[in-house]
Amino acid sequence: MANKSAKTAVEASPLERYFRALEAVAISANGASVSEIAQSCNLPLGTAHRLLQNLLRAGLLANNGGRRKDYQLGERMLRLLHAGTDASRLAIAVQPVLDHLANQFDDTCYLARLVGTQVVSVAWAAPSGGLRGHVVPGHILAPHVAASAKAILAFQSDGLIDRVLSAPLPRLTSETKVDRDEINREYAAVRRRKYATCWNEMEIGFGAIAVPIPIADAGVIYSVGTAGFIDRVKRRPVAQSVAMLQEAVEQLGRALREPSAK
């Protein structure tokens, strides 16, 4: 009897109602209207509308602004789904693309992901001719230094950028930027040109180039880059390297969407 009472209390809780509303939206193929969600969750129409408005304000849902206001999972929820995707599954999904890139560049290529307020390397590939560079999975990438971190963080909200840059920013070399205004100007340049670089900022003689990977409805939470000794990274024009990385973005975007969907 006690178990039944506890179950009834959970089902009637506000948190349970929010989860049921999210589940109703998630299983709908093309979004769901207020009345459809109310019916699916066995809620009064007014209650369902209030729940949905709160979920909209929290960024967990989005709607298309049409007359029926079909609700879909929001950017914040989609980012949570990506953040919860196992790193090893992501690495398997993107490995063929990274392997091909590494052989094209004849240098290390790697994938980075935004998790909360940190950018972390999740997969890498070395050219078949031998080991290059030193970016390996699991490394937290400095937001003011790493090209892959800049390529992601430049496209985040002002609030998130402020939280990231509020942490101590160590000066790793004489070329490291630690002034907030200077870093913000660099982020603005990254948004404008759609790629980021790191020259002697992490380690003297080390360089990297990275481009953002936009994911539909989730924004930029991944980047792909190449890294190594500067004389190797700069042996071809930067524009050519950027074009080579950008050619892989569509393939990587598909691979990154599929593990999360599963």
Side-chain angles (χ1 to χ4, degrees):
M1 191 69 176
N3 287 340
K4 184 176 180 181
S5 299
K7 183 179 179 183
T8 302
V10 169
E11 289 176 347
S13 71
L15 184 60
E16 176 64 19
R17 290 180 177 182
Y18 282 113
F19 270 102
R20 284 161 58 191
L22 286 169
E23 288 169 346
V25 173
I27 63 176
S28 62
N30 299 305
S33 65
V34 180
S35 57
E36 290 168 342
I37 294 167
Q39 183 177 7
S40 174
C41 299
N42 194 26
L43 293 170
L45 194 61
T47 301
H49 183 265
R50 285 194 297 275
L51 289 178
L52 294 171
Q53 290 305 303
N54 287 336
L55 290 169
L56 274 176
R57 283 191 287 271
L60 298 174
L61 288 183
N63 66 34
N64 61 15
R67 291 182 62 186
R68 292 188 68 230
K69 292 189 176 179
D70 288 331
Y71 291 86
Q72 299 173 335
L73 294 181
E75 181 179 301
R76 191 174 180 187
M77 175 57 73
L78 291 168
R79 286 181 171 220
L80 282 173
L81 293 174
H82 276 275
T85 303
D86 182 63
S88 60
R89 192 191 304 177
L90 284 180
I92 292 169
V94 302
Q95 201 63 52
V97 185
L98 291 181
D99 287 340
H100 178 69
L101 270 179
N103 285 323
Q104 273 189 308
F105 279 97
D106 194 28
D107 241 321
T108 303
C109 289
Y110 60 100
L111 180 86
R113 172 171 64 166
L114 177 67
V115 181
T117 57
Q118 294 180 327
V119 176
V120 182
S121 58
V122 293
W124 76 299
S128 55
L131 196 62
R132 300 276 193 276
H134 38 291
V135 178
V136 295
H139 278 190
I140 296 173
L141 302 163
H144 61 309
V145 171
S148 52
K150 297 174 191 175
I152 294 173
L153 293 170
F155 296 91
Q156 306 311 308
S157 66
D158 291 342
L160 179 57
I161 291 174
D162 187 60
R163 290 200 299 276
V164 170
L165 298 182
S166 293
L169 303 173
R171 187 182 297 277
L172 303 178
T173 75
S174 59
E175 300 296 319
T176 304
K177 300 178 182 68
V178 294
D179 179 75
R180 283 284 299 273
D181 289 339
E182 195 173 4
I183 296 168
N184 283 327
R185 284 195 294 272
E186 183 166 12
Y187 281 4
V190 171
R191 287 192 294 273
R192 186 174 62 252
R193 65 194 185 194
K194 303 296 191 296
Y195 72 88
T197 59
C198 170
W199 306 124
N200 293 312
E201 297 167 54
M202 183 180 296
E203 183 179 325
I204 295 298
F206 181 79
I209 303 170
V211 301
I213 304 173
I215 301 294
D217 301 319
V220 176
I221 50 178
Y222 296 99
S223 66
V224 60
T226 184
F229 295 113
I230 285 182
D231 59 343
R232 292 186 57 82
V233 177
K234 285 191 169 183
R235 66 187 183 278
R236 63 174 60 84
V238 170
Q240 184 182 345
S241 295
V242 169
M244 291 165 64
L245 291 169
Q246 288 175 337
E247 282 179 8
V249 164
E250 185 178 350
Q251 273 185 292
L252 288 168
R254 283 199 304 271
L256 292 166
R257 284 193 297 270
E258 288 167 6
S260 297
K262 293 173 186 175

